[in-house]
């Protein structure tokens, strides 16, 4: 995921986690999914 601010990146990550958890619950997964951040880079700055 890429975002211009840290707050937007946090919202994107939370939304992705909600979608994955909902899909797992809807499909009857035996346990909740685990989430691990494997890499993180600074936000992409805007350029004029």
């Amino acid at each position: 995921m890429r975002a211009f601010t840290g707050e937007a990146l946090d919202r994107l990550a939370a939304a992705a986690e909600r979608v994955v958890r909902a899909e797992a619950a809807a499909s009857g997964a035996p346990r909740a999914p685990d989430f691990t951040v494997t890499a993180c880079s600074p936000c992409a700055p805007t350029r004029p």
Side-chain angles (χ1 to χ4, degrees):
M1 291 182 264
R2 297 183 80 182
F4 294 113
T5 66
E7 293 83 15
L9 188 57
D10 291 341
R11 285 194 313 269
L12 284 169
E17 189 170 330
R18 279 193 308 274
V19 169
V20 171
R21 288 188 188 282
E23 287 292 330
S27 66
R31 65 180 181 82
D34 294 326
F35 294 90
T36 304
V37 175
T38 58
C40 188
S41 5
C43 295
T46 56
R47 296 182 184 168

